[in-house]
Amino acid sequence: EHVLIVEGEDDKIALEKLLPSMSTKIKRAIQNGTFIIDYIGGAGNLPYKLSFYRNFIINITIVTFLSNFPLTFLAMTATTCITQLGFP
């Protein structure tokens, strides 16, 4: 199981729409709950999120996006992370 933690809810929403179209394996993993995209909603919440997911022994990847970056940059960065997670 994997979780991709992003900065804000808008990043989460965008990736939930974008990533399944990039890989059928990602689409299946999101559908069956083995790949989760979550957001921290502020730097102060990061320790809580890390602790929460570590309790379930889930592989964690953290991606921080700046609001002024275009969606294409978001997609490229996410694709790199997904490749590192072992998704084709």
Side-chain angles (χ1 to χ4, degrees), residues 40-82:
I40 58 173
N45 294 329
L46 183 58
Y48 166 76
K49 292 284 185 172
L50 292 176
S51 175
F52 176 79
Y53 287 115
R54 281 187 184 139
N55 286 333
F56 294 104
I57 312 175
I58 294 176
N59 296 310
I60 302 168
T61 300
I62 302 168
V63 181
T64 302
F65 300 109
L66 299 175
S67 301
N68 60 346
F69 278 92
L71 186 57
T72 52
F73 178 79
L74 176 75
M76 290 186 316
T77 305
T79 302
T80 300
C81 293
I82 287 164

